[in-house]
Amino acid sequence: MGFPSKPFSLLLSLSLLLFTDLALSATDYNALVYKGCAKQAFQDPTGVYSQALSALFGSLVSQSTKTKFFKTTTGTGQTTITGLFQCRGDLSTGDCYKCVSGLPVLTDKLCGKTIAARVQLYGCYMLYEVAGFAQVSGMEMLFKTCGATNIAGSGFEERRDTAFSVMQNGVVSGHGFYTTSYQSVYVLGQCEGDVGDSDCGECVKNAAQRAQVECGNAISGQIYLHKCFISYSYYPNGVPRRSSSSSSSSSSPSSSGKGKIQERQ
């Protein structure tokens, strides 16, 4: 039995579960950003979907000990399930595994046995789709959050926009992941691992434009599109360094205020 071809944005039920305080450190990669759950549960009287999903999760977690992006398919015919995970480009292999390993249980807890689900943590995300689930544009906005503090004047917008421009070029040369700081503005951009360099640049450019419109003069923000995401934070006193040996170009961004959910009708 096939599934109705409804827009992804209508099937997803996005829920904000944190971001009341985003002074994040390297130990917060498991912090939940958002969940996206299809409204339709799969009918599974014989347990074939559950078995296929369990096999998928097992494969994804196993691969997270070796790589930061992996996409695979399990099951056959209408029980086929495609899924993937991705970690932030600056996570170690060990931190990637720690982040991904908790996602199967968390996904089941948050979404149950739905035909599609996506759970985004600060350091990684995992998603799966049952065969027949409608595909959407990579530019579809899934989630946004903007800092509660606004700043006008002082050249902030010019600094941010320059940082965005550098980031857009950086994700192309960096093959899908790039972080940098420009005059106290820290930016991070990442695309899904199977997105080509040119398409990645376009996706991140689109996300940056969304940030300019959606967040305005907010000193921080995160924009998650279907195939890429960006974050930025402005530090008037200079971008802080991690306590580890990481360079400032991979420092964790911070954000303040409550997030806002973007849902299209």
Side-chain angles (χ1 to χ4, degrees):
M1 179 181 71
F3 297 105
S5 179
K6 294 182 180 179
F8 185 77
S9 57
L10 293 181
L11 287 168
L12 279 181
S13 174
L14 300 180
S15 298
L16 176 66
L17 296 176
L18 54 74
F19 280 133
T20 54
D21 183 4
L22 279 181
L24 292 172
S25 67
T27 60
D28 294 305
Y29 291 126
N30 293 329
L32 181 61
V33 179
Y34 71 87
K35 67 173 183 177
C37 309
K39 294 181 179 179
Q40 184 179 353
F42 51 71
Q43 302 302 312
D44 193 25
T46 63
V48 291
Y49 283 113
S50 295
Q51 292 174 14
L53 187 57
S54 179
L56 177 75
F57 284 156
S59 178
L60 293 176
V61 171
S62 175
Q63 289 296 320
S64 70
T65 64
K66 309 170 187 177
T67 183
K68 297 177 185 177
F69 172 79
F70 186 72
K71 185 176 184 178
T72 190
T73 299
T74 61
T76 58
Q78 292 182 344
T79 64
T80 299
I81 304 178
T82 298
L84 65 84
F85 78 85
Q86 183 167 26
C87 291
R88 273 178 49 138
D90 54 355
L91 260 65
S92 67
T93 302
D95 283 337
C96 181
Y97 169 74
K98 290 177 184 177
C99 190
V100 172
S101 62
L103 280 170
V105 172
L106 185 60
T107 299
D108 183 67
K109 178 181 178 181
L110 295 175
C111 293
K113 297 298 189 292
T114 57
I115 63 173
R118 176 171 178 147
V119 175
Q120 175 81 51
L121 305 184
Y122 179 66
C124 65
Y125 68 92
M126 182 181 287
L127 66 86
Y128 72 84
E129 300 173 352
V130 173
F133 190 71
Q135 300 300 302
V136 297
S137 166
M139 303 297 182
E140 180 83 9
M141 183 185 287
L142 303 181
F143 175 86
K144 72 172 182 180
T145 180
C146 305
T149 303
N150 292 285
I151 182 171
S154 304
F156 162 68
E157 290 189 357
E158 290 79 3
R159 295 180 184 183
R160 180 202 60 196
D161 292 349
T162 299
F164 281 167
S165 180
V166 173
M167 176 182 62
Q168 291 162 29
N169 293 325
V171 292
V172 175
S173 60
H175 306 298
F177 178 79
Y178 187 74
T179 68
T180 192
S181 56
Y182 174 80
Q183 294 188 3
S184 300
V185 179
Y186 171 91
V187 290
L188 177 152
Q190 183 166 16
C191 294
E192 189 174 293
D194 56 356
V195 175
D197 292 342
S198 178
D199 288 339
C200 179
E202 285 301 310
C203 190
V204 167
K205 179 180 180 180
N206 189 293
Q209 291 172 342
R210 299 285 187 92
Q212 292 167 334
V213 173
E214 301 287 347
C215 294
N217 293 320
I219 65 170
S220 60
Q222 295 81 33
I223 301 292
Y224 288 83
L225 305 186
H226 185 49
K227 290 291 186 178
C228 67
F229 71 90
I230 69 166
S231 68
Y232 75 93
S233 296
Y234 174 58
Y235 298 89
N237 297 320
V239 176
R241 291 179 177 271
R242 285 180 178 173
S243 58
S244 66
S245 59
S246 299
S247 67
S248 60
S249 65
S250 59
S251 298
S252 295
S254 69
S255 175
S256 59
K258 297 181 179 180
K260 298 178 181 178
I261 299 169
Q262 177 74 9
E263 291 184 286
R264 296 183 181 277
Q265 302 300 324

